[in-house]
């Protein structure tokens, strides 16, 4: 076994070196005195002298083959900005897929042109800029070559806002100040970009070399081609395989202020004699470049009125659900502060700041400093929040939801080539009115890359939580049980994905400014997936059989749950997929009774709480999932899972129907339904969501998100009108409404409105350096 391991490790290292040894392309940006007009027409004289970059190579579907359509890119610069011009010729321009006309809309289901700039040439991080034939602005930040905190396998291909947050390797919510314009004609489509140097972060000014890669997506062929070759198991975020760009960059530093004014009206119909509450608010954000690579962000009277609402979820487990961060201030440079296992055990989770028990806590002021000092990546964050007191809907008395708190984070790590790094983090919450009320978290993390295919990740964390002075300390074990650690390994090739991991969380592990969905457990996981390509079949792309599993044990050895998943994915050339037959082996161990439902149909014909007794429950499930071509105007995604569940059965069909009219209107209706029949009782519940977006221009849009939750009988509406300026600023008009559609809820409220709010916010970016 030892010899086999050594041979395998040697093979991984050699394979990684072979990939890295491939010749990477190099480019030089041409210096210009007359900047081109950013209109997407590319007819300016300044483009004539620029080097023509060609030779794009397919990553998908036929790795290593030339791109199917002629593609040319030119790069120039002056003392203020970098300019990119892309000639994206197409033999059938009538088949271009424009996608959604909305900033940062997904690029997965449209034609697109994207570039990544590794401005420090550290081969791990970078800035991403992209557009579609509709002319949208798409930008983000790559950290750790797109790999999240878990060291995951094939990175996502952009677009999903779930990628953002502390655990993500791609931060879509970074909004830079830049310009883009596109045009189309009988020969194809064209893109023209202007990226100010003040939008980027890099070393000192002067002659330098950056990492550079381009990607063109031709949606009708499900084709992705890149300038610097990338194996199909990776994507554009694999900046260690990027080419290079030589240029002269000025030694300039950013200095911007972003003030806002806000007015809103709010009415709570659940209180006696409801009355509308009107208020106004002003605040300001500032961004100051301490040097070319180190940036200080300041915020006063922070507000997030225009942030997206959370997608509602049904919880049939014993543990907390994860809701991702959606507030832009915390999402910028979020990857810097990422330590832990994403969505399970994160040492820092920014939703703990300014939110408590579903209530918004006022943020008075804050500061964040991120960037590089030598070879060290640094991140400092300090936020001061106010207290929050709300009246109880039951007693009418005022209750404190959150005290005055100060939140602090110190993060530092050092990166080496081939994805390797080591770092540490310190997180604190201090009640500024009580010196004995605090929580501290300490953590170390590291990553080791072996060749291009093998990656190991690990982290360890400790917490300190003082007990009340009158309480007896009954905690025991290492650090009183306030510890957690994990390690994962991930191996990815063109054909195989193999991963495994172990995690242990102490019984008292308590990162209050982090996220832990369960405590006191040991966890093991593994996954094996094989990609079987069918090169000779023009309508079918690949077959993906796989098996994965995980298991949780209490620290005493009791098996709390296990899950084994066996499935096969059939992927078609147009993007459609069928997943079947999926087979799950599940187990739940209860060491105490579990109340899964507050009210349901009891076996005696009455209504009441459904309580599952302690015991071990082993079951099996079948699941089927399919989706049509999502780039088509009309697409459908649907599936069903059914089988054993605790002492009975569960059936949970779900589906989404999406419709897009040209590049302006997109709508989607989705439903999740649960039918649970147990020996202890039965119940059904459902979630229905309607989303829609109409874009008048790439910067003016109207969005609606309506959600109905059968548990609460509430219909929630979030309607937003945005008129964007640069870097995500502009005018926002937001209407929020909650309607109770039941008869009488547990608190005695009858059907009708619960809460209504109208917010008008305007924010403007001022560049103090011109």
């Amino acid at each position: 076994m030892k010899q086999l391991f050594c041979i395998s490790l040697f093979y991984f290292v050699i394979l990684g070196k072979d990939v890295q040894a491939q010749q990477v392309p190099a480019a030089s940006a041409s210096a210009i005195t007359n900047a081109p007009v950013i209109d997407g027409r590319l007819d300016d004289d300044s483009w004539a002298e620029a080097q023509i970059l060609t030779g794009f190579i397919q990553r998908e579907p036929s790795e290593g083959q030339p791109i199917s359509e002629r593609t040319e890119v030119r790069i120039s610069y002056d003392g203020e900005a970098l300019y990119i011009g892309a000639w994206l010729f197409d033999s059938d321009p009538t088949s271009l897929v424009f996608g959604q006309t909305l900033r940062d809309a997904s690029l997965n289901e449209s034609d697109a042109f994207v570039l990544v700039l590794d401005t420090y040439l550290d081969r791990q991080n970078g800035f991403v800029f992209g557009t579609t034939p509709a002319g949208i602005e798409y930008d983000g930040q790559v950290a750790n070559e797109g790999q999240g905190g878990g060291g995951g396998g094939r990175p996502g291909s952009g677009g999903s806002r779930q990628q953002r947050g502390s655990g993500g390797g791609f931060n879509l919510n970074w909004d830079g100040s830049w310009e883009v314009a596109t045009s189309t004609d009988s020969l194809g489509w064209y893109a023209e970009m202007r990226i100010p140097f003040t939008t980027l972060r890099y070393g000192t000014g002067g002659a330098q070399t950056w990492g550079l890669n381009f990607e063109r997506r031709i949606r009708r062929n499900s084709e992705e081609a890149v300038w610097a070759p990338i194996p199909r198991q990776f994507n554009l975020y694999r900046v260690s395989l990027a080419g290079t760009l030589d240029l002269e960059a000025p030694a300039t530093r950013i200095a911007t202020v972003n003030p806002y004014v806000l007015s809103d009206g709010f009415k709570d119909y659940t209180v006696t004699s409801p009355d509308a509450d009107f208020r106004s608010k002003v605040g300001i954000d500032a961004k100051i470049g301490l040097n070319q690579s180190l940036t200080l962000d300041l915020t006063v009277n922070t507000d997030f009125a225009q942030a997206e609402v959370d997608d509602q979820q049904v919880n049939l487990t014993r543990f907390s659900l994860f809701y991702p961060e959606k507030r832009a201030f915390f999402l910028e440079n979020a990857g810097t502060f990422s330590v832990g296992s994403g969505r399970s055990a994160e040492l820092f989770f920014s939703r703990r700041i300014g939110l408590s028990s579903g209530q918004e806590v006022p943020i008075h002021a804050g500061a964040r400093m991120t960037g590089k000092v030598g070879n060290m990546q640094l991140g400092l964050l300090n936020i001061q929040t106010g207290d929050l007191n709300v009246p109880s809907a039951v007693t009418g008395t005022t209750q404190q939801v959150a005290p005055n708190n100060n939140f602090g984070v110190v993060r530092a790590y050092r990166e080496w080539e081939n994805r390797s790094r080591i770092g540490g983090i310190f997180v604190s919450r201090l009640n500024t009115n009580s010196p004995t009320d605090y929580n501290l978290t300490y953590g170390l993390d590291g990553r080791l890359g072996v060749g291009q295919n093998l990656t190991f990740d690990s982290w360890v964390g400790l917490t300190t939580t003082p007990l009340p002075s009158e309480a007896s300390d009954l905690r025991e074990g290492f650090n009183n049980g306030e510890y957690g650690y994990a390690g994962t390994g991930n191996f990815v090739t063109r054909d195989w994905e193999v991963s495994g991991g172990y995690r242990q969380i102490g019984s008292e592990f308590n990162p209050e400014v982090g996220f832990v969905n369960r405590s006191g457990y040991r966890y093991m996981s593994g996954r094996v997936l094989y990609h079987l390509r069918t090169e000779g079949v023009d309508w079918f792309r690949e077959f993906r059989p796989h098996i994965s599993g995980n298991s949780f044990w209490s620290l005493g050895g009791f098996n709390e749950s296990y899950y084994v998943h066996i499935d096969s994915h059939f992927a078609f050339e147009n993007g459609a997929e069928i997943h079947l037959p999926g087979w799950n082996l599940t187990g739940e161990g209860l060491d105490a009774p579990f109340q899964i439902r507050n009210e349901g149909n009891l076996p005696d014909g009455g209504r009441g709480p459904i309580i599952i007794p302690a015991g071990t429950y082993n079951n099996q499930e079948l699941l089927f999932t399919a989706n049509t071509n999502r780039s088509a105007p009309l697409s459908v995604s649907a599936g069903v899972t059914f089988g054993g569940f605790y002492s009975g059965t569960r059936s949970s069909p779900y589906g989404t129907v999406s419709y897009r009219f040209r590049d302006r209107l997109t709508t989607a209706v989705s439903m999740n339904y649960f039918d649970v029949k147990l020996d202890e009782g039965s119940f059904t519940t459902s979630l229905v969501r309607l989303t829609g977006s109409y874009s008048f221009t790439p910067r003016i849009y109207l969005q609606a998100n309506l959600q109905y939750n059968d548990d609460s009988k509430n219909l929630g509406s979030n309607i937003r009108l945005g008129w964007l300026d640069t870097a995500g600023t502009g005018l926002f008009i937001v209407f929020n409404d909650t309607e109770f559609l039941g008869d009488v809820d547990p608190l005695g409220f009858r059907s009708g409105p619960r809460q209504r709010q109208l917010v008008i916010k305007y924010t403007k970016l001022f560049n103090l350096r011109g």
Side-chain angles (χ1 to χ4, degrees), residues 651-700:
S651 176
S652 53
Y654 59 93
T656 300
V657 179
S658 302
Y659 175 72
R660 186 185 73 250
F661 179 70
R662 297 179 181 172
D663 60 332
R664 300 296 180 181
L665 175 68
T666 60
T667 60
V669 179
S670 61
M671 182 204 69
N672 292 74
Y673 180 78
F674 300 87
D675 184 358
V676 179
K677 294 181 174 65
L678 306 173
D679 292 345
E680 299 76 26
S682 62
F683 63 91
T684 63
T685 186
S686 60
L687 279 176
V688 180
R689 181 178 298 112
L690 170 65
T691 59
S693 174
Y694 184 84
S695 299
F696 302 91
T697 73
R699 290 192 174 187
I700 305 175

Side-chain angles (χ1 to χ4, degrees), residues 33 41 86 139 173 240 302-303 382 447 478 483 507 518 571 575 640 659 690 719 738:
T33 56
R41 302 191 183 280
D139 53 12
N173 260 65
S240 60
T302 314
D303 177 83
N382 190 271
R447 168 171 290 164
F478 174 70
Y483 70 88
S507 59
R518 57 200 292 177
V640 61
Y659 175 72
L690 170 65
I719 301 174
T738 302

Side-chain angles (χ1 to χ4, degrees), residues 241-293:
L241 300 179
T244 59
L245 173 67
D246 294 327
L247 76 163
E248 294 260 355
T252 183
R253 291 181 290 176
I254 188 172
T256 64
V257 293
N258 181 14
Y260 78 85
V261 294
L262 176 149
S263 179
D264 81 314
F266 175 80
K267 191 171 185 178
D268 187 350
Y269 292 86
T270 64
V271 300
T272 305
S273 302
D275 193 14
D277 179 24
F278 296 94
R279 63 167 185 150
S280 59
K281 187 177 179 181
V282 296
I284 189 170
D285 294 340
K287 190 180 294 290
I288 302 170
L290 302 180
N291 56 38
Q292 189 58 53
S293 59

Side-chain angles (χ1 to χ4, degrees), residues 118-122 127 197 200-210 247-253 291-294 371-374:
D118 175 10
T119 53
Y120 290 104
L121 201 62
D122 58 20
F127 297 92
F197 287 111
L200 305 171
R201 307 290 176 266
Y202 48 89
T204 58
Q208 52 198 279
T209 300
W210 295 351
L247 76 163
E248 294 260 355
T252 183
R253 291 181 290 176
N291 56 38
Q292 189 58 53
S293 59
L294 201 60
K372 284 201 170 186
V373 176

